Amino acid sequence: MSPNAYVVLSAILFSIGLLGFLIRRNVLIAFMSVELMLNSANLAMVAFSYANGTLLGQVGAFFVMVVAACEVVIGLAIIMIIFKTRRSASVDDQNQLKH
Amino acid sequence: MIPLITGQVVAFWIFAPLSIAGALGMVIARKPVHSAISLAGMMVALGCLYASLDAPFLFVAQIIVYTGAIMMLFLFTMMIVGVDTTDSLIETLRGQRVAAAIFVFAFAAFIIVVAGNGIVTGAGGLETANAGGNVEGIAKIIFGTYVFAFELTAALLMVAALAAIVLAHGESLRKRETQAERARRKTLEFAETGKDPGPLPGPGVYARHNSIEYPALLPDGSIAEKSVSPTLAIRGVAVVENDGLRAAHRAAITEFVEVQDENTGSDEAPKVAEELADPGSVERTAIETTDGDPDTPKEQ
């Protein structure tokens, strides 16, 4: 199987994630779409690693996973405090963060 | 030339459609929980694709970190934020959805054409790189070349954990009521409004059904409304068939009266049976909440 097919699959998944991020109003689903995009980038990196015959791409994917875990922790904590104060999980209601 | 069908090809054509289906399911599903489950399935499929690309370490890490940890965190948050929230269909910015869809389709066409036109040509394979073991090879790179970046991720994880603790911490708004204060308040309430100072009755668990949504019965066979949590009643869970609940009670009373008749020679049984018979035998009662807001847990 040519690694190209994996890169195309990764592009498709990234586009789906972008679509979800742009059209969904639920903040959790928007956040999950970001995760989807990160995952598709990981797939591209692993495919590149396979094509080049080195493990550097896999190490990159590993670091992306670590950063994604941190990002999820902070993001979900922010979603929870916003929900605590505003009682809403919709991105449309988060319009009063500025002063 | 006959194309060579390898295990990798089979794995790709099985898991690539699965992952696309999972991703689409996540975007399309109305309920957040369905989205999360679709995403978890998509992540497992992606892990299997990693395995087909000679990355066994990432395959395991993907399943443990993403499907195991991250999706569970999402589900926990979902349970707190509200599982049954569905998206509003009102657009805040007019035409935003259409514009977003057009943009994404254009972007997808662009990126797929670019990726599909063979920037990646060599199918090198990882046989030589994985010769000493995949995990060992990755470990050599992480703890050798990238050891400083690895140490930095440790700091990043620590900061993230601290930040989550600080952000999720909430000060309690009012002081916790002590036992003496609660006793004083309840006695005062009893004196002023006549509200029963005792604990609320327990639910009818084990009476006839093994479920807390079944209310307890009062001695006369009627339903003790306070025995069901107001939250359940508001959600409409606590709907019971009066007749079914009272059947045991009725049978007991009838038998009692028959025995009494035998002993004393009176003839009360038909009268009592008539009294006990329900006007509507399939009457159903939805328990209404009478007091308190549903958020406060029932004091036992």
Side-chain angles (χ1 to χ4, degrees):
Chain A
M1 196 77 205
S2 153
N4 229 25
Y6 285 93
V7 181
V8 171
L9 173 66
S10 152
I12 294 171
L13 291 178
F14 189 91
S15 306
I16 295 174
L18 191 64
L19 184 73
F21 181 73
L22 287 176
I23 66 169
R24 292 306 299 258
R25 299 264 67 88
N26 188 314
V27 65
L28 279 167
I29 296 179
F31 202 42
M32 282 195 275
S33 304
V34 175
E35 288 304 307
L36 176 57
M37 288 192 269
L38 280 168
N39 263 298
S40 70
N42 271 355
L43 179 65
M45 264 194 273
V46 177
F48 290 145
S49 167
Y50 182 81
N52 288 325
T54 67
L55 289 174
L56 286 173
Q58 294 190 13
V59 173
F62 174 75
F63 279 121
V64 170
M65 272 186 196
V66 175
V67 176
C70 294
E71 174 240 341
V72 163
V73 167
I74 303 287
L76 288 179
I78 291 173
I79 289 174
M80 266 178 64
I81 46 173
I82 288 179
F83 182 78
K84 252 192 235 167
T85 49
R86 311 226 12 152
R87 289 276 146 200
S88 161
S90 169
V91 284
D92 286 336
D93 294 330
Q94 321 305 340
N95 54 1
Q96 295 188 338
L97 295 176
K98 61 185 178 194
H99 268 292
Chain B
M1 191 180 107
I2 302 161
L4 185 66
I5 305 260
T6 56
Q8 194 186 27
V9 177
V10 176
F12 181 84
W13 288 113
I14 289 174
F15 291 111
L18 275 182
S19 64
I20 291 178
L24 280 177
M26 185 212 73
V27 175
I28 291 167
R30 294 277 293 156
K31 294 201 165 189
V33 176
H34 298 169
S35 283
I37 288 169
S38 299
L39 189 61
M42 177 262 166
M43 281 166 172
V44 172
L46 218 52
C48 297
L49 287 173
Y50 292 167
S52 78
L53 282 170
D54 289 348
F57 173 69
L58 280 183
F59 160 65
V60 175
Q62 167 88 4
I63 287 180
I64 292 175
V65 174
Y66 272 110
T67 14
I70 292 183
M71 290 322 294
M72 284 309 111
L73 209 56
F74 265 107
L75 283 174
F76 268 124
T77 316
M78 224 165 263
M79 295 301 151
I80 294 168
V81 168
V83 258
D84 42 4
T85 53
T86 45
D87 265 12
S88 65
L89 290 171
I90 306 153
E91 285 184 308
T92 325
L93 304 168
R94 193 149 20 102
Q96 188 252 350
R97 267 171 227 267
V98 180
I102 291 170
F103 167 71
V104 168
F105 281 120
F107 177 80
F110 170 68
I111 195 172
I112 289 165
V113 166
V114 168
N117 270 329
I119 314 168
V120 192
T121 44
L126 286 170
E127 284 81 14
T128 45
N130 274 348
N134 178 254
V135 182
E136 285 86 343
I138 289 180
K140 267 197 196 98
I141 297 172
I142 289 178
F143 298 116
T145 326
Y146 293 108
V147 69
F148 189 63
F150 180 72
E151 295 295 337
L152 278 181
T153 57
L156 182 69
L157 280 169
M158 191 91 85
V159 172
L162 273 177
I165 292 169
V166 171
L167 285 177
H169 178 74
E171 297 288 333
S172 54
L173 291 173
R174 34 186 118 81
K175 221 173 110 267
R176 202 180 153 82
E177 197 176 35
T178 62
Q179 197 179 7
E181 281 165 357
R182 191 185 306 128
R184 199 171 301 126
R185 176 176 59 80
K186 285 196 164 186
T187 318
L188 212 64
E189 273 177 8
F190 178 59
E192 283 168 358
T193 62
K195 191 183 165 204
D196 184 15
L200 293 169
V205 184
Y206 301 135
R208 288 181 64 78
H209 290 273
N210 186 5
S211 158
I212 56 159
E213 72 191 50
Y214 274 83
L217 294 185
L218 294 173
D220 61 349
S222 63
I223 283 166
E225 287 185 0
K226 284 181 181 173
S227 66
V228 176
S229 162
T231 316
L232 291 177
I234 275 189
R235 287 188 187 163
V237 179
V239 177
V240 292
E241 284 177 33
N242 290 351
D243 201 48
L245 275 176
R246 285 188 203 143
H249 171 79
R250 201 164 46 228
I253 294 277
T254 317
E255 197 181 337
F256 175 75
V257 174
E258 275 168 7
V259 172
Q260 205 179 26
D261 283 353
E262 265 178 37
N263 289 345
T264 58
S266 60
D267 192 24
E268 294 277 316
K271 216 171 79 185
V272 172
E274 202 177 311
E275 271 177 27
L276 284 171
D278 257 351
S281 58
V282 287
E283 173 196 5
R284 288 168 76 88
T285 305
I287 298 193
E288 308 263 331
T289 46
T290 44
D291 55 344
D293 57 332
D295 287 339
T296 47
K298 196 170 64 165
E299 290 168 39
Q300 289 286 357

